[in-house]
């Protein structure tokens, strides 16, 4: 059990830092509320499960190919720049959306989370690097069932952090003034643009 709790806290600690995906999750909660942020988080978790399965069955080396990584950096750059600029151009609509209760399809939020995490090279580097090294260390010394339990403990840690951030962002939506929500939305938009530029630089450097 101590081992499972260790992996749970590993997943939670790795999910806590504010990266490009978490920035979009917070922005989703502020703009549309808890359920949209939560389903966005479920979409990212589905991607985590997919990459975990890929690495577990030993086919992760394909993703680590330079050409594939360059393509992923490039797509990640495009998605983050597009999302950040779109949010930045629509910050003036926050008050209007809050008053009108503008409806956004929940499945759209989940799909956005899945695609955002899928095209995030940092997600891939995590599963190839950290999770891959965990599997390498456990090979031949840890029962396979225990490895599966440990793997799901990592996912559970990630899920708890995502749910907590969904609550916090949706709570901020209710408690903060429209002016403060606008400032936070502008900050997260610029953060997305910044991450997009970083991804673009990485894609450019990977070509040479």
């Amino acid at each position: 059990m101590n081992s499972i709790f260790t992996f749970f806290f590993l997943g939670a600690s790795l999910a806590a830092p504010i990266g490009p995906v978490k920035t979009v999750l917070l922005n989703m909660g502020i703009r549309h509320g808890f359920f949209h942020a939560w389903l966005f988080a479920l979409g990212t978790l589905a991607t985590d499960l997919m990459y975990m399965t890929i690495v577990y069955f030993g086919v992760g080396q394909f993703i680590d190919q330079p050409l594939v990584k360059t393509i992923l950096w490039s797509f990640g750059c495009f998605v983050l720049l597009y999302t950040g600029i779109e949010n930045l151009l629509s910050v003036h609509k926050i008050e209007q959306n809050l008053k009108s209760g503008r409806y956004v399809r929940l499945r759209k939020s989940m799909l956005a989370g899945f695609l955002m995490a899928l095209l995030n090279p940092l997600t891939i580097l995590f599963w190839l690097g950290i999770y891959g090294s965990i599997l390498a260390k456990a090979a031949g010394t840890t029962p396979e069932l225990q490895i599966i339990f440990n793997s799901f403990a990592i996912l559970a840690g990630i899920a708890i952090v995502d749910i907590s951030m969904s609550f916090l962002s949706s709570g901020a939506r209710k408690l903060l003034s429209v002016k403060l929500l606008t400032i936070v939305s502008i900050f997260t938009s610029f953060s997305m643009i910044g991450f997009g530029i970083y991804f673009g630089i990485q894609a450019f450097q990977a070509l040479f």
Side-chain angles (χ1 to χ4, degrees):
M1 291 299 293
N2 289 333
S3 176
I4 290 178
F5 280 121
T6 299
F7 285 98
F8 174 84
F9 285 116
L10 172 64
S13 62
L14 290 169
I18 304 298
V21 175
K22 291 296 184 293
T23 301
V24 179
L25 186 151
L26 292 173
N27 194 68
M28 187 76 70
I30 289 171
R31 285 176 172 270
H32 304 298
F34 169 74
F35 284 106
H36 286 278
W38 180 55
L39 284 172
F40 179 90
L42 284 182
T44 66
L45 197 65
T47 300
D48 289 333
L49 179 60
M50 184 186 75
Y51 280 133
M52 183 184 75
T53 305
I54 288 173
V55 175
Y56 182 83
F57 286 105
V59 294
Q61 295 304 315
F62 168 75
I63 302 174
D64 204 30
Q65 295 297 319
L67 178 61
V68 177
K69 290 176 70 174
T70 301
I71 293 172
L72 289 169
W73 282 116
S74 300
F75 273 110
C77 170
F78 170 76
V79 171
L80 284 168
L81 285 177
Y82 176 82
T83 305
I85 293 172
E86 182 186 43
N87 284 331
L88 197 59
L89 294 175
S90 62
V91 290
H92 64 282
K93 298 180 180 179
I94 289 179
E95 184 174 9
Q96 176 185 340
N97 292 342
L98 289 175
K99 289 180 178 178
S100 64
R102 181 186 172 196
Y103 179 74
V104 178
R105 290 184 181 275
L106 291 173
R107 65 170 178 264
K108 184 178 178 181
S109 298
M110 188 171 186
L111 180 61
F114 179 80
L115 292 176
M116 186 70 68
L118 182 70
L119 299 173
N120 180 17
L122 299 180
T123 303
I124 300 165
L125 291 175
F126 161 72
W127 289 111
L128 284 176
I130 297 177
Y131 184 68
S133 63
I134 290 172
L135 290 180
K137 183 178 180 181
T141 59
T142 306
E144 187 172 348
L145 186 61
Q146 183 66 39
I147 294 175
I148 294 174
F149 281 140
N150 292 343
S151 300
F152 279 99
I154 294 175
L155 288 176
I158 295 172
I160 290 297
V161 171
D162 286 346
I163 291 174
S164 300
M165 288 188 173
S166 299
F167 270 118
L168 288 173
S169 60
S170 61
R173 181 173 185 257
K174 297 176 181 178
L175 296 175
L176 298 180
S177 66
V178 173
K179 184 176 180 180
L180 285 175
L181 287 177
T182 301
I183 292 173
V184 173
S185 187
I186 290 173
F187 175 77
T188 56
S189 297
F190 275 115
S191 296
M192 283 182 259
I193 293 171
F195 281 118
I197 293 172
Y198 170 75
F199 281 16
I201 293 172
Q202 294 299 314
F204 180 77
Q205 291 178 346
L207 292 174
F208 301 98

